[in-house]
Amino acid sequence: MSILLSNISKKFGKFSALNQINLEIPEGELVALLGPSGCGKTTLLRIIAGLEQADEGRVLLSGEDKTEQHVSHRGIGFVFQHYALFRHMTVFDNIAFGLRVKPKKQRPSETEIAKKVHALLELVQLDWLHDRFPDQLSGGQRQRIALARALAVEPSVLLLDEPFGALDASVRKDLRQWLRSLHHELNVTSIFVTHDQEEAMEVASQVVVLNHGRIEQQGAPSDIYDHPANAFVSKFIGQTNIFALAHHDTQWLQTTGLEIADNQQEQIAHVRPHDIDIQKALSDDSAQAILKDWQHLGALIRIELVKNLPDHSEATVYAEMPNEQFKQLQLNKGDKVSLRIRNAHWFH
Amino acid sequence: MNAITNIPPTKAPSLQQALHDPVWIRGLLTVVAVGFIMLFLCLPLAIVMFEAFAKGWDAYGEALVQPDAQAAIRLTLLTALATVPLNTVFGVSAAWAITRFEFVGKSLLTTLIDLPFSVSPVISGLIFVLMFGAQGWFGAWLSAHDIKIIFAVPGIMLATLFITFPFVARELIPLMQEMGSEEEEAALSLGASGWQMFWQITLPNIKWALLYGVLLCNARAMGEFGAVSVVSGHIRGMTNTLPLHVEVSYNEYDFVGAFASASILAGLAIVTLILKSALEWQQGKH
């Protein structure tokens, strides 16, 4: 089911949580609402669900205006950050709940319900837990049961609020992959909220970046990473080095191989760490810096460089390169290195 | 190889001393606590029972079957039967409104719920006399329509209703605040109606606290003296509840009658106490 939001605004007292949000999500996508805390992403998700009412604007699901419709009739599945499993019911009864509260005419028989619940439990690979209570489960198990419960009513849209927020790192990594493949299997339009850009890039087919109640950019993860629409998105998605030409030595940047047009004098350059190449310094005219330290990030090495500014203060520049490549350079702490910048994004 | 076994065992008492108070402090505190309970709780209770049975079982039985005592018991039960369900409904609604909605005057409502606790019961009774009494605001209108509230059963019910309305709400509000509304929202998102959500999700989660509140509400409804005394008029066999009957009998030097009635109220208190601990135990388990 496609989702269309037009001109959604929401205020809490004087605080404007959402400001004229326009968003279109085609059917079958797995979308991440990404932003720092307090940017309005959860509020937006709750407005789509009907758990919150927008002050202005319309919510259209499959072209149908659902703005005034009660949450129980919207046909959405909602997965809460802290799972919200019914603590007095077993796992089985939790998942069966959505089927048992259907009006008599649409309600399946108990045997059909049992069949469906077990099928869902198999889908989330937890059939052996059917008679446990929620407080006997681990965080990751609870999350998967919450997902199975939401899927039981065959929602046309699946909404997940920080689905991995309360889990520890290794479980989170597994569940991300699992959610991605589950979405591939079910192909139900899904939106999840996250403040973790890595998670958004890894799981989603579309990323919507929010800040201060506005949409900053929407697009495929690679689009957003390679072509950030503005300085906020560039800073929020991945690491970036920021060079303000007004403060930095323009000449220094030019010697790194970066082309600077005259009209860019007042702009700010954002450079990804992996767009910086380093070499042992040979000649004096190339852009130089001192190698201060480095950290292992698995396959990559993050290199910390210190560069002297004209006013004799220091600035830190981060570069990244594969392990092997760094080893071949045979650099030591304190070595002089020369930099080459391959690419930069320019913002005002 | 044997080096480990040769090390002398370290002495445990040093840790004991660090973590525990000296024996004499523990002993003193225990004696003070137990002595206090004996003196102010067990002794009076024993005296009530002793006086009630001072002239034997027959006198005890007779004191309770006499018409005035019977009427008092009936009125007390009737009052509890009328006010407890009303205050249960009110308490759940108030707790729901306060914990689930944002509205203007919410903190005022929260304060007002506590009002009966902070106002002297006699004043609470007096409010109703001033409103519905012969000289009160609505007195002329009421007597013109031949409706009796003060010095009649409706007045006793109103006063009891007022005195006992905080009990259920005060038990539920902290619990429902702590639980949050996520489970309820989950139920709604799964297609449940408001009623289904309340009966299947909210009520099972609050049932022990609710029962606890109802129990306390009932104990107070049956035992209330001050407010009821002001509005009742002490008409024997008509508007005397059990606590009032105790006072009237005592003032008339009918000690067995007074203490026999008092023993019923004391018995109620003990049953309440046992149920209360059972409920607390249940709550702790869940």
Side-chain angles (χ1 to χ4, degrees), chain A residues 181-200:
Chain A
S181 54
L182 186 77
H183 177 260
H184 204 73
E185 202 174 315
L186 302 171
N187 213 30
V188 51
T189 312
S190 308
I191 305 179
F192 71 98
V193 157
T194 180
H195 59 261
D196 182 343
Q197 50 93 11
E198 235 178 85
E199 189 169 290

Side-chain angles (χ1 to χ4, degrees), chain B residues 246-266:
Chain B
V246 171
E247 194 211 15
V248 170
S249 307
Y250 188 83
N251 287 345
E252 289 171 357
Y253 304 106
D254 174 10
F255 295 129
V256 171
F259 282 105
S261 304
S263 72
I264 293 181
L265 286 172

Side-chain angles (χ1 to χ4, degrees), chain A residues 46 51 70-72 76 78 80-89 97-98 100-101 149-150 153, chain B residues 178-194 196-197 200-202 204-205:
Chain A
R46 290 173 62 88
L51 291 170
H70 190 253
V71 48
S72 57
I76 49 100
F78 200 97
F80 292 83
Q81 185 181 0
H82 300 290
Y83 327 120
L85 293 176
F86 307 133
R87 61 192 96 182
H88 61 288
M89 292 185 192
F97 182 86
R100 286 178 177 157
V101 295
R149 182 178 68 178
V153 291
Chain B
E178 186 214 310
M179 282 196 328
S181 51
E182 274 203 345
E183 281 182 53
E184 285 151 6
E185 287 179 343
L188 290 179
S189 78
L190 290 166
S193 66
Q196 284 172 323
M197 176 194 74
Q200 296 184 36
I201 305 301
T202 312
N205 278 337

Side-chain angles (χ1 to χ4, degrees), chain B residues 116 119-139 142 149-152 154-165 226-228 230-232:
Chain B
V119 174
S120 156
V122 175
I123 308 295
S124 311
L126 203 60
I127 293 167
F128 289 102
V129 174
L130 291 176
M131 264 169 37
F132 304 120
Q135 315 298 322
W137 286 11
F138 305 104
L142 287 171
I149 292 182
I150 299 305
F151 304 147
I156 292 170
M157 301 238 173
L158 279 176
T160 309
L161 206 60
F162 178 82
I163 291 293
T164 56
F165 87 60
V228 171
V230 175
V231 297
S232 129

